[in-house]
Amino acid sequence: MLRVRKIDVGCVLLRRGFWRRHKKKIFVTLGVVGSGYAVYRLYDAHKRRLYELQIQLAHERENDEKIKAQLQEHFESIQRIADASTLPHAMHYLSSRLNEELDLAVLTERLKQGKDTLTLPEKLDLWDRLKVLSFTKMVLSLWSVTLLSLFVRVQVNILGRQLYIDIARSHENSPLFEEANFIDQDDEQKFLARADFLARHGLPALMTNMEAAVVEILKTKQLKDTFNSSTLHETIMQILETFMSMGKPHPWVDYLMPEDARFPGLTASSSNNLILSDVTKFDQLMTEAQTVLSSDEFTNVVEVSLKTVASAVVKDVCDHPSGASTGTPLVKLVPRVAQVSQLILDEPSENQFIQLIRNIHDVELFFTILYTNTTTV
């Protein structure tokens, strides 16, 4: 028994000696193990959180892609409406109005029937009137189709751009595309229907001013004068420049947009920072359209487009057998000038002049910037 107690005491003393010698190492080891476990728990929690964030980001990316796809689908739908309905309808109505207001058949028929009965002064007077009206109709068609096609593209890009802004703003509050506060469909149609304003209301003043410009330029051009492609091109550009210099800058705004649809105190930039209770989405669309049409960038696009179309018209006139490629008296050129007006007013899908405008680099760049320039959302 005494021996067992001695052994127990020895073991205790041994353990105490071991503890005294190694307690610091044991504490350090326990500290390292405890810290490692804590780090492991933190890492595991961080890993789980990171995984959850990755899942959340994946859902957000998926939702963003869905929104982008629906946005693109909606924009393409607006573009199809403009290409298949808005522009063709506006062009058809414009063509009907121009043919109604500038019916050259009456003058040509009088010249044919009075070939043997009209006096020389009467014939010269009719030919002079036919000259003026033929150039008026041709340049008026050229100007109207160019501005109308550009205006419809402005409308489509503004709608697409506004849709993007609406989605971005609504997405901050609701991630669901269906809950976004989009432009009302009635406002879309009402806005696109403004493409008819030129033919319905702007045409009378436009015709009067264009004819005045034609008279001013052609007053020194005699029917016996020889015209070639350079002379014709110079004449067309002089008429356009004279017309464009009449009145205030950006004259197309008055012909394309009604006065009561413009809000001088509300600009496109201020509409993003100021919400007026009496200004509707349609009002905002019209205000932005006016801002775009009044910009220096749009002015540049108009000038480039008019020059391009004018060159194409001259080529078409001069390449014709009765054209002026080698020089021909103006009296023989007048019928072809009158005929080319109808080509300019062709359906958009078959209209070479509209296709030319669409393919101009400056025009493409302008509308790319217009659509992507979403300003501050």
Side-chain angles (χ1 to χ4, degrees):
M1 178 68 73
L2 182 61
R3 185 179 179 182
V4 171
R5 288 180 177 175
K6 289 181 177 179
I7 293 173
D8 290 342
V9 171
C11 289
V12 170
L13 293 174
L14 182 64
R15 285 197 295 270
R16 287 178 177 175
F18 179 83
W19 174 254
R20 283 196 301 270
R21 291 193 303 270
H22 298 289
K23 66 178 182 179
K24 185 179 292 186
K25 295 180 180 178
I26 291 172
F27 282 136
V28 171
T29 301
L30 289 174
V32 170
V33 171
S35 298
Y37 179 72
V39 170
Y40 169 76
R41 291 297 301 271
L42 289 172
Y43 172 76
D44 185 60
H46 176 72
K47 187 176 180 180
R48 284 198 306 270
R49 178 58 180 162
L50 184 61
Y51 177 74
E52 292 172 357
L53 286 174
Q54 289 175 338
I55 295 296
Q56 182 180 350
L57 288 173
H59 285 316
E60 290 180 357
R61 281 195 298 267
E62 182 180 352
N63 192 55
D64 286 343
E65 290 301 320
K66 179 182 177 183
I67 289 176
K68 288 178 181 178
Q70 290 172 315
L71 172 62
Q72 183 64 27
E73 180 182 355
H74 187 83
F75 177 70
E76 290 176 355
S77 173
I78 296 173
Q79 183 69 62
R80 285 194 297 271
I81 292 172
D83 289 343
S85 178
T86 305
L87 184 57
H89 173 79
M91 287 280 292
H92 177 73
Y93 189 45
L94 176 66
S95 178
S96 298
R97 292 280 288 115
L98 280 175
N99 287 329
E100 177 184 338
E101 295 295 332
L102 293 172
D103 186 5
L104 306 181
V106 177
L107 290 177
T108 55
E109 189 63 25
R110 285 184 62 188
L111 282 169
K112 288 179 182 179
Q113 292 181 353
K115 184 177 181 180
D116 299 323
T117 58
L118 291 173
T119 64
L120 182 59
E122 290 174 333
K123 289 180 181 179
L124 290 175
D125 185 64
L126 286 174
W127 269 108
D128 192 64
R129 185 61 183 155
L130 184 61
K131 174 190 71 176
V132 169
L133 291 184
S134 295
F135 271 87
T136 298
K137 187 173 183 180
M138 185 261 285
V139 181
L140 184 60
S141 299
L142 186 160
W143 188 93
S144 300
V145 168
T146 300
L147 267 297
L148 185 60
S149 64
L150 291 174
F151 178 56
V152 171
R153 287 194 66 182
V154 166
Q155 289 179 301
V156 171
N157 279 272
I158 287 176
L159 281 173
R161 170 175 152 174
Q162 188 62 49
L163 177 64
Y164 175 88
I165 294 174
D166 287 346
I167 287 179
R169 285 174 175 164
S170 299
H171 190 49
E172 293 177 357
N173 302 318
S174 172
L176 299 179
F177 182 86
E178 292 78 4
E179 296 179 6
N181 182 26
F182 298 146
I183 302 170
D184 186 83
Q185 188 174 5
D186 290 338
D187 282 339
E188 283 186 9
Q189 295 177 353
K190 185 179 177 183
F191 181 56
L192 291 174
R194 289 301 184 184
D196 280 343
F197 181 82
L198 173 63
R200 289 184 181 277
H201 306 288
L203 197 56
L206 177 59
M207 288 173 52
T208 299
N209 292 332
M210 187 65 75
E211 184 175 344
V214 170
V215 170
E216 177 65 24
I217 299 304
L218 292 188
K219 66 183 180 181
T220 60
K221 312 290 184 184
Q222 304 298 319
L223 291 170
K224 63 181 180 179
D225 291 348
T226 300
F227 266 61
N228 55 29
S229 57
S230 297
T231 310
L232 180 59
H233 185 271
E234 181 183 358
T235 300
I236 293 174
M237 294 309 300
Q238 286 176 342
I239 294 171
L240 287 171
E241 289 168 4
T242 301
F243 167 74
M244 299 281 270
S245 65
M246 294 178 176
K248 56 188 177 182
H250 321 300
W252 45 80
V253 177
D254 290 333
Y255 303 118
L256 293 172
M257 297 183 66
E259 183 68 32
D260 59 0
R262 303 177 219 155
F263 294 84
L266 178 64
T267 63
S269 58
S270 67
S271 64
N272 289 323
N273 304 316
L274 179 64
I275 299 176
L276 302 177
S277 59
D278 58 343
V279 177
T280 66
K281 282 281 189 180
F282 171 74
D283 297 330
Q284 294 177 26
L285 292 172
M286 291 298 291
T287 299
E288 180 150 6
Q290 180 195 4
T291 302
V292 172
L293 295 184
S294 302
S295 67
D296 293 337
E297 293 80 5
F298 186 76
T299 300
N300 177 64
V301 166
V302 169
E303 291 175 353
V304 171
S305 300
L306 288 174
K307 289 177 182 177
T308 300
V309 176
S311 297
V313 168
V314 169
K315 186 176 185 301
D316 192 277
V317 171
C318 294
D319 285 350
H320 193 268
S322 62
S325 56
T326 58
T328 189
L330 178 56
V331 67
K332 292 185 178 180
L333 192 65
V334 168
R336 181 56 187 164
V337 169
Q339 291 170 7
V340 80
S341 301
Q342 205 55 47
L343 291 177
I344 301 173
L345 295 167
D346 270 351
E347 290 290 327
S349 59
E350 302 175 356
N351 194 309
Q352 60 171 315
F353 304 106
I354 290 180
Q355 296 302 322
L356 276 175
I357 295 171
R358 289 176 178 172
N359 294 332
I360 298 172
H361 174 72
D362 287 354
V363 173
E364 292 179 340
L365 180 61
F366 172 80
F367 285 109
T368 298
I369 294 174
L370 175 60
Y371 183 65
T372 56
N373 181 24
T374 54
T375 67
T376 304
V377 177

